[in-house]
Amino acid sequence: MLLNSKLPTVKTSIFSVMSALANKHNAINLSQGFPNFEPDQQLLDLAKKAMNSGRNQYAPMAGIFELREAISDKFSLLYNSSYHPETEITVTAGATQAIYTIISTFIRQDDEVILFCPAYDCYEPTIELNGGKVIPIQLKAPNYKVDWEEVQQNISSKTKMIIINTPQNPSGTIFSKDDMLQLQELTKNTNIIVLSDEVYEHIVFDGENHQSVCLFSDLKLRSFIVASFGKTFHVTGWKIGYCCAPKDLMDEFKKAHQFNVFCVSHPMQKAIADYLQNSNHYLELSNFYQVKRDLFLGLIKDSRFKFTPSQGTYFQGLDYSSITNQRDIDFSKRLIKEHKIASIPLSVFNSNGQDEKILRFCFAKTDDTLKRAAEILNSIQLF
Ligand code: PMP
Ligand code: GLN
């Protein structure tokens, strides 16, 4: 049979590849981003309670009202921003489904979508599946600063969407207020939709504030915010997230969402709705991960790896250029096989394959794992 693939160049996701290799070689897995510790027992008890109290049939299509209301309250509390729980919030099967559905809802053949590289891996194939064209803007280590004039030059009459991600996976950088104001100015009086991937909104370091699109009134009108409870509550396997947008955008989103998943796991929604009632459950997260970042970086400060401390997310980029000239993909595989430590090569997130000799390490790990990882990294000399 002639399959005629719609994604002829797409391979298995780097996260699957590296985690499988880590398992095969019994390596410490700092590649795929997930915590290797358990979530709060209270959250697990709430899930059990929801299952034992009749929450086992389909949830409403947009999510149970208690959860949408709790999300709406969080926006009021954190950003003084209003999203109506009835019409402007939808609960999704993780951020990935929200992103897939947003892109599928709006992108037509030959529409252009601007994204910033290194970019999280699910944006590009989804755009291509829908016939859209990716317009990549390559950012450079170590600061990954956006040149907004370059963005302006890449906007055309075909630009339908701009995707941003702050805090950014994999670079660990954040957008400043000035970045957001520039984006707002560039998109003013256009029909460009902004997809703002804010899954790490609660993991921002060194006293900086997360700059959500909802803080910028003009930007908010054209934007989707995408979020994930997996990151916030250490439950990446639950695959629950949400998106919010003004009603006109959300109405369109729901037309596709209802035929994509219809609704997502009911008991987990109830558990999270209850757990969200205590804002400390997400407000303490930045501090929790900053301690881990500092532990990890403190332990490897005398190694041959160079770094700029991550500003957000639970990822840290390490520059290995003073160890070897090898390509990042090859070097990361050698580290797994020969040193039993797994990471993610950054070049796979660059549309042009640019290799800056940087590997991404996930520090959402127990202190013991981070110490064992640091010992290995400290022992690596020249390759
Ligand atoms: N966006 C970014 C930037 C991510 O890092 C991730 C997952 N790590 C996702 C989206 C997907 O989130 P989820 O697991 O909730 O689908
Ligand atoms: N988002 C996670 C990461 O960046 C991985 C998610 C996945 O495996 N698809 O590592």
Side-chain angles (χ1 to χ4, degrees):
M1 191 165 78
L2 181 63
L3 282 178
N4 194 13
S5 172
K6 287 177 79 176
L7 296 172
T9 59
V10 169
K11 302 193 191 86
T12 303
S13 139
I14 190 73
F15 306 120
S16 305
V17 171
M18 289 316 216
S19 271
L21 259 188
N23 288 338
K24 181 173 167 200
H25 293 277
N26 205 14
I28 296 180
N29 189 1
L30 304 195
S31 64
Q32 191 179 22
F34 62 89
N36 73 339
F37 44 83
E38 288 305 308
D40 187 354
Q41 187 59 42
Q42 189 191 341
L43 178 60
L44 301 180
D45 291 342
L46 286 169
K48 235 183 278 174
K49 189 172 154 207
M51 285 180 195
N52 287 329
S53 55
R55 298 289 191 139
N56 299 304
Q57 309 309 328
Y58 291 130
M61 187 262 279
I64 62 170
F65 192 72
E66 295 121 291
L67 180 52
R68 284 184 279 150
E69 207 171 29
I71 293 166
S72 175
D73 290 347
K74 185 164 79 89
F75 274 100
S76 305
L77 175 75
L78 288 185
Y79 307 112
N80 196 19
S81 182
S82 152
Y83 284 97
H84 198 289
E86 278 291 357
T87 53
E88 299 186 314
I89 297 171
T90 301
V91 180
T92 58
T96 311
Q97 183 242 316
I99 292 164
Y100 195 96
T101 307
I102 293 165
I103 293 172
S104 306
T105 302
F106 295 100
I107 297 305
R108 292 188 168 91
Q109 191 68 33
D110 298 329
D111 281 345
E112 293 184 355
V113 182
I114 291 178
L115 49 82
F116 300 96
C117 291
Y120 184 61
D121 70 341
C122 76
Y123 311 139
E124 184 165 336
T126 311
I127 294 162
E128 284 172 0
L129 265 179
N130 286 283
K133 185 172 171 213
V134 172
I135 306 293
I137 299 207
Q138 184 65 49
L139 307 181
K140 289 196 177 52
N143 299 321
Y144 301 94
K145 269 312 242 181
V146 175
D147 173 352
W148 290 100
E149 264 180 39
E150 185 187 353
V151 181
Q152 165 96 71
Q153 284 155 12
N154 278 279
I155 293 180
S156 76
S157 57
K158 290 187 175 171
T159 309
K160 181 71 193 181
M161 187 177 282
I162 299 178
I163 300 181
I164 63 167
N165 172 213
T166 180
Q168 216 259 9
N169 177 10
S171 69
T173 54
I174 55 175
F175 273 11
S176 64
K177 183 174 177 187
D178 186 55
D179 285 319
M180 302 305 280
L181 287 170
Q182 303 239 34
L183 176 64
Q184 174 165 260
E185 196 54 36
L186 278 187
T187 50
K188 217 177 207 160
N189 303 321
T190 69
N191 291 318
I192 298 172
I193 293 169
V194 173
L195 192 173
S196 183
D197 182 340
E198 303 187 11
V199 300
Y200 299 103
E201 76 179 298
H202 300 301
I203 314 180
V204 179
F205 306 134
D206 304 319
E208 294 293 333
N209 289 323
H210 171 58
Q211 300 294 334
S212 172
V213 284
C214 72
L215 290 167
F216 303 85
S217 53
D218 250 56
L219 206 47
K220 179 179 174 179
L221 292 176
R222 62 180 67 260
S223 297
F224 275 92
I225 293 175
V226 170
S228 169
F229 292 114
K231 323 284 165 196
T232 309
F233 295 145
H234 315 305
V235 287
T236 60
W238 285 21
K239 291 300 292 187
I240 293 202
Y242 59 91
C243 65
C244 337
K247 181 178 181 305
D248 53 344
L249 291 173
M250 190 53 81
D251 283 348
E252 285 302 308
F253 175 91
K254 283 190 207 160
K255 289 182 191 172
H257 173 80
Q258 63 186 336
F259 299 118
N260 187 186
V261 288
F262 185 72
C263 66
V264 305
S265 173
H266 191 157
M268 298 328 203
Q269 290 192 52
K270 172 65 177 145
I272 289 173
D274 291 344
Y275 196 67
L276 271 172
Q277 299 308 317
N278 180 349
S279 57
N280 286 333
H281 289 152
Y282 50 86
L283 292 178
E284 287 167 354
L285 202 63
S286 289
N287 194 33
F288 174 81
Y289 276 122
Q290 185 169 325
V291 169
K292 291 207 176 287
R293 178 200 66 174
D294 291 346
L295 169 70
F296 183 53
L297 293 184
L299 288 168
I300 60 166
K301 67 178 190 319
D302 297 324
S303 73
R304 296 188 74 93
F305 291 92
K306 286 179 288 190
F307 53 79
T308 303
S310 177
Q311 298 175 304
T313 75
Y314 44 51
F315 301 113
Q316 177 64 51
L318 297 184
D319 174 329
Y320 64 86
S321 55
S322 55
I323 297 174
T324 176
N325 235 339
Q326 220 168 13
R327 270 196 68 78
D328 62 357
I329 297 177
D330 301 328
F331 184 55
S332 61
K333 287 185 176 163
R334 276 186 75 185
L335 283 185
I336 295 178
K337 289 176 195 158
E338 296 172 23
H339 288 271
K340 309 286 176 212
I341 186 161
S343 57
I344 298 280
L346 239 67
S347 66
V348 300
F349 302 107
N350 290 332
S351 242
N352 63 3
Q354 174 179 297
D355 169 20
E356 291 190 294
K357 314 276 176 248
I358 295 173
L359 302 177
R360 187 199 82 174
F361 291 79
C362 172
F363 55 81
K365 305 294 165 188
T366 61
D367 292 357
D368 178 56
T369 302
L370 293 175
K371 284 176 194 159
R372 285 190 296 120
E375 263 175 44
I376 296 176
L377 295 174
N378 286 334
S379 75
I380 295 168
Q381 294 302 319
L382 294 180
F383 257 60

